[in-house]
Amino acid sequence: MVITDTKQAYLEQEAVAETRSEYYGGKTYPKIGEEIDHVRVVREIACSLHEQLNLDKCEVFVSQLRVLVEECDGYFYPDVVVVCGEPQLTDSRPPSLLNPIVIIEVLSESTEQRDRGEKFACYRTLPSLQEYLIVSSSAYSVEHYVRVTPDKWMLTIYQGSDAVLELPSIRCSVPLREVYARTDFVSPTHL
């Protein structure tokens, strides 16, 4: 974590940086390389969603699209983002997305506390957001939050290799067996 004086300093720094960073509460958090199982889980979720989405209406993005949460003055790079309709982007370089419908964060030791806490608190302020998922990269486990009203979220926990994640806002189903099929923690007896 690095203290950054202002959002403008962060944006200027990010425009020329070789590695990405997130910004929240006047602090910059560098995005460091992830473990291989983290990358595999992100890839499998994104591929499954891409195959199922009506590409005329919705699009899936992986790790490189920054999301601006104006209410929190935060800039984040979620692992997976789904946008339906025309993406609304800021003029900054690189641009930031304003209207995600689904955000998925795959847990890492270095990010778990922030993904569950301050990031989710910020994400909840996005009027477009309908679903937020916190996905383990080391066990068959997904916490799935669905917006019920502007201020109320319902939690469903999916666990085990036979569970099938249902995302109602984008009409997709993702079997956890597929999400975790290539991870190192899965032995042949789990398949």
Side-chain angles (χ1 to χ4, degrees):
M1 169 184 57
V2 176
I3 303 296
T4 303
D5 292 335
T6 66
K7 176 174 67 172
Q8 188 59 38
Y10 162 76
L11 291 171
E12 290 169 7
Q13 185 179 304
E14 191 73 1
V16 297
E18 292 182 22
T19 58
R20 297 171 294 129
S21 295
E22 295 183 325
Y23 175 84
Y24 174 73
K27 298 175 185 167
T28 301
Y29 300 87
K31 293 288 284 185
I32 56 175
E34 301 295 348
E35 297 291 327
I36 193 163
D37 280 344
H38 181 280
V39 176
R40 287 173 173 151
V41 169
V42 169
R43 180 194 62 220
E44 295 306 320
I45 291 171
C47 287
S48 181
L49 295 178
H50 177 75
E51 289 174 3
Q52 296 178 62
L53 286 172
N54 178 340
L55 298 179
D56 291 337
K57 296 181 180 176
C58 297
E59 238 179 316
V60 62
F61 297 94
V62 180
S63 302
Q64 298 298 317
L65 185 60
R66 184 174 62 195
V67 172
L68 168 59
V69 184
E70 292 180 292
E71 187 81 20
C72 295
D73 203 22
Y75 291 86
F76 304 105
Y77 286 95
D79 291 311
V80 179
V81 177
V82 177
V83 179
C84 293
E86 191 66 31
Q88 297 172 10
L89 301 169
T90 63
D91 292 334
S92 62
R93 291 289 168 239
S96 299
L97 180 69
L98 298 169
N99 63 328
I101 190 167
V102 175
I103 291 178
I104 301 171
E105 294 284 10
V106 177
L107 297 177
S108 299
E109 281 186 39
S110 63
T111 65
E112 181 172 0
Q113 190 172 14
R114 288 184 61 240
D115 289 343
R116 292 181 184 284
E118 61 194 28
K119 276 188 176 182
F120 185 35
C122 282
Y123 290 152
R124 287 192 306 257
T125 68
L126 291 165
S128 63
L129 189 66
Q130 297 302 306
E131 299 182 68
Y132 179 61
L133 292 90
I134 298 173
V135 181
S136 172
S137 62
S138 61
Y140 287 98
S141 182
V142 176
E143 296 171 27
H144 179 208
Y145 295 87
V146 176
R147 187 183 295 262
V148 179
T149 67
D151 297 322
K152 183 177 178 184
W153 292 78
M154 181 178 68
L155 169 63
T156 303
I157 297 175
Y158 295 88
Q159 293 182 318
S161 62
D162 293 331
V164 178
L165 178 61
E166 300 291 339
L167 292 104
S169 68
I170 55 174
R171 297 187 197 133
C172 290
S173 299
V174 181
L176 293 194
R177 179 180 311 275
E178 292 176 14
V179 169
Y180 295 105
R182 297 187 52 96
T183 56
D184 286 337
F185 77 87
V186 175
S187 68
T189 59
H190 285 104
L191 301 175

